Amino acid sequence: MNGTLTSDVIGQRVEVNGEHATVRFYGTVPPVAGLWLGVEWDNPERGKHDGSHEGTRYFQCRHPTGGSFIRPHKANFGVDFLTALRKRYMLEDGPEEDGREQIVMIGNRPVKTIGFDSVLKKQRENKLRFPPGSSSPPRKFSALKVLVLSQTGVTWAEVLRCAAGWPALQELYLESNDISISERPVDVLQMVKLLDLSSNQLIDENQLLLIADLPRLEHLILSETGLSSLHFPDAGIGCKTSMFPSLQHLVVNDNGISQWSFINELDKLQSLHSLSCLRNPLTEGNRAETLQFIIARVGQLRTLNRCQILPEERRGAELDYRKAFGNEWKKAGGHQDPDKNWPHEEFLAAHPRYQSLCLKYGAPEDGELKTQQAFLLRNQLLTLQIKCPHRLDQKVLEKQLPESMTIQKVKGLLSRLLKVPVSDLLLSYESPKMPGREIELENDQQSLQFHSVENGDCLLVRW
């Protein structure tokens, strides 16, 4: 085989003892005699180095242990198409290695599969070799709308070079390619609505600004990119950015987000209404409080971590947020008199929505801002009136209930008091702060505090 190889071998795919790799080098490696292939393994744990040997670099690897030198006769450069097809898709004659029948759901339809697990185990990513040169591909895929290039080794420059051939592309998946966004997509990718950049660890906030002008981008997936910060320099406190004008859905799961400034910046996006922010340092600890604060800080959100944000939930989150930072607001120069309400710049930068929440609900009163003594039950009890609007003969009751008590448990208590089945009870409440407005308590699994029920409010019971 040594005599048949030329420099054209570079870039070709090979198989060595069941492991797949891409040839990156062909030549001599002194002081050892003979010809060698330098390969970059699909599995970086298979290699020993990054393409360097005794201080000399022979080729470049994406991973520090992704490279090896092998003799050419050990490399299998391929088989005929039919053999490869049979091997990849398990089309050999005879019984399946795994003949168990399984049922999977495709849409709403159950589909029987046999040997499905064994087929999945055979699937591997493809390492694409893009044509050299700077010109765009001569043949255009004018009707192509969805393109998946995950785990192909494609670079951002190659994507932009070929993108002129995909003028109608709407969805582009680039997961796990070690992509670094190096330049703006000028006159390409202008129809893309969904872009998946997940598991590309080299992406940072400065690179994201290079794609911020994509006019139709609605769905951006940035999971597991190592992203930790975000800033839109064109928008000040309380203003909207012109960047990502159509972005509605953002996924930033499994990143290093630990600062509230990241969440504050999201409120600057014009169209964002869906956010997934799971498994970040910021969301560790008191998860319920963190979710409430995210809702309060991003005013246009309608969905958080795939859960719909109900109007009552938003109201409760914003009121709790307003209380939680009320003392800090006062110390910063906040005041109940609008003419004297001038908190300093540092507070406004940390809580850009606080002033708008004061306009929405009124500035927090001194009684709301008293520091609560932790862990004392008497400081967690709410004194509530209980009325039955449809039962005029039922006298008004007064009860002290823990603010952490769920609506389901409140119904259980009222069921025993009123001798009415729990399933028949409907609860709502009125607050002196909002005269004439009645708020339903719909979520039985959430607490009184979650629904922003406060001391002195009135529970309304119907059946």
Side-chain angles (χ1 to χ4, degrees), residues 254-427:
D254 301 292
N255 281 305
I257 301 168
S258 60
Q259 302 296 323
W260 283 110
S261 58
F262 187 104
I263 304 299
N264 291 340
E265 287 295 303
L266 299 183
D267 190 56
K268 295 180 179 180
L269 292 168
Q270 302 176 31
S271 306
L272 185 70
H273 62 69
S274 174
L275 172 67
S276 187
C277 190
L278 298 169
R279 297 177 297 278
N280 281 276
L282 185 67
T283 57
E284 296 174 357
N286 190 339
R287 185 174 179 273
E289 182 180 71
T290 300
L291 295 179
Q292 281 193 308
F293 285 179
I294 292 176
I295 293 170
R297 288 172 183 264
V298 188
Q300 67 271 30
L301 275 189
R302 300 201 295 268
T303 303
L304 177 58
N305 297 339
R306 297 187 177 182
C307 295
Q308 182 184 3
I309 302 171
L310 300 174
E312 311 86 63
E313 186 177 3
R314 169 160 293 285
R315 176 181 176 277
E318 292 178 341
L319 284 173
D320 284 349
Y321 178 81
R322 170 177 155 275
K323 288 182 188 178
F325 297 97
N327 283 319
E328 188 177 335
W329 168 74
K330 286 194 68 175
K331 291 178 182 178
H335 200 281
Q336 293 174 359
D337 185 344
D339 295 331
K340 300 178 181 179
N341 182 21
W342 296 102
H344 57 57
E345 196 75 12
E346 183 179 350
F347 176 86
L348 294 177
H351 305 279
R353 287 203 74 223
Y354 198 90
Q355 291 289 77
S356 64
L357 294 180
C358 287
L359 290 174
K360 184 176 182 179
Y361 300 106
E365 300 175 1
D366 291 340
E368 297 179 86
L369 304 182
K370 291 180 180 178
T371 303
Q372 295 186 352
Q373 299 179 32
F375 309 115
L376 294 181
L377 182 59
R378 65 176 178 270
N379 291 321
Q380 299 174 10
L381 292 178
L382 303 176
T383 301
L384 305 173
Q385 287 188 327
I386 300 174
K387 296 181 181 179
C388 305
H390 294 169
R391 308 282 174 167
L392 300 179
D393 56 334
Q394 179 68 47
K395 66 178 182 179
V396 177
L397 304 176
E398 186 172 282
K399 288 290 180 182
Q400 285 190 319
L401 304 178
E403 61 182 12
S404 60
M405 194 173 190
T406 65
I407 303 305
Q408 184 65 40
K409 291 184 178 180
V410 173
K411 287 183 176 180
L413 172 65
L414 295 174
S415 174
R416 294 190 295 271
L417 288 175
L418 302 172
K419 311 300 182 185
V420 177
V422 170
S423 58
D424 292 345
L425 293 178
L426 297 175
L427 297 187

Side-chain angles (χ1 to χ4, degrees), residues 212-217 241-247 269-272:
D213 294 330
L214 291 176
R216 291 177 173 81
L217 184 61
T241 178
S242 61
M243 299 181 180
F244 295 105
S246 302
L247 187 61
L269 292 168
Q270 302 176 31
S271 306
L272 185 70

Side-chain angles (χ1 to χ4, degrees), residues 156 160 181-188 206 208-214 243:
W156 184 250
L160 296 189
I181 301 175
S182 53
E183 55 184 303
R184 297 180 184 276
V186 179
D187 298 328
V188 293
N206 293 322
L208 291 180
L209 298 184
L210 295 177
I211 60 172
D213 294 330
L214 291 176
M243 299 181 180

Side-chain angles (χ1 to χ4, degrees), residues 94-322:
E96 286 279 353
E97 177 184 334
D98 180 359
R100 291 174 298 172
E101 180 180 286
Q102 302 178 50
I103 302 295
V104 297
M105 298 299 296
I106 300 179
N108 295 321
R109 296 174 178 268
V111 178
K112 292 183 179 181
T113 67
I114 298 178
F116 199 61
D117 287 340
S118 61
V119 172
L120 289 177
K121 290 177 182 177
K122 292 288 182 179
Q123 303 308 302
R124 306 182 66 90
E125 65 271 16
N126 294 310
K127 301 298 182 184
L128 298 183
R129 186 181 181 186
F130 286 80
S134 58
S135 60
S136 60
R139 181 179 299 177
K140 290 188 176 182
F141 297 89
S142 58
L144 183 66
K145 293 187 177 180
V146 179
L147 179 60
V148 180
L149 293 174
S150 300
Q151 300 181 355
T152 58
V154 66
T155 66
W156 184 250
E158 290 170 335
V159 169
L160 296 189
R161 178 155 52 87
C162 297
W166 320 321
L169 192 68
Q170 296 184 6
E171 298 183 14
L172 177 59
Y173 297 84
L174 298 172
E175 179 184 358
S176 301
N177 283 304
D178 287 334
I179 278 179
S180 177
I181 301 175
S182 53
E183 55 184 303
R184 297 180 184 276
V186 179
D187 298 328
V188 293
L189 305 181
Q190 299 300 296
M191 302 295 289
V192 167
K193 294 183 178 181
L194 184 150
L195 179 59
D196 185 356
L197 292 168
S198 55
S199 300
N200 289 289
Q201 296 289 334
L202 302 178
I203 292 177
D204 59 28
E205 62 171 314
N206 293 322
Q207 295 179 38
L208 291 180
L209 298 184
L210 295 177
I211 60 172
D213 294 330
L214 291 176
R216 291 177 173 81
L217 184 61
E218 298 177 358
H219 198 145
L220 180 59
I221 305 175
L222 298 171
S223 296
E224 206 175 354
T225 58
L227 192 65
S228 61
S229 59
L230 186 65
H231 178 59
F232 300 115
D234 66 323
I237 296 173
C239 300
K240 296 296 184 182
T241 178
S242 61
M243 299 181 180
F244 295 105
S246 302
L247 187 61
Q248 300 178 26
H249 312 275
L250 178 63
V251 180
V252 288
N253 299 332
D254 301 292
N255 281 305
I257 301 168
S258 60
Q259 302 296 323
W260 283 110
S261 58
F262 187 104
I263 304 299
N264 291 340
E265 287 295 303
L266 299 183
D267 190 56
K268 295 180 179 180
L269 292 168
Q270 302 176 31
S271 306
L272 185 70
H273 62 69
S274 174
L275 172 67
S276 187
C277 190
L278 298 169
R279 297 177 297 278
N280 281 276
L282 185 67
T283 57
E284 296 174 357
N286 190 339
R287 185 174 179 273
E289 182 180 71
T290 300
L291 295 179
Q292 281 193 308
F293 285 179
I294 292 176
I295 293 170
R297 288 172 183 264
V298 188
Q300 67 271 30
L301 275 189
R302 300 201 295 268
T303 303
L304 177 58
N305 297 339
R306 297 187 177 182
C307 295
Q308 182 184 3
I309 302 171
L310 300 174
E312 311 86 63
E313 186 177 3
R314 169 160 293 285
R315 176 181 176 277
E318 292 178 341
L319 284 173
D320 284 349
Y321 178 81
R322 170 177 155 275

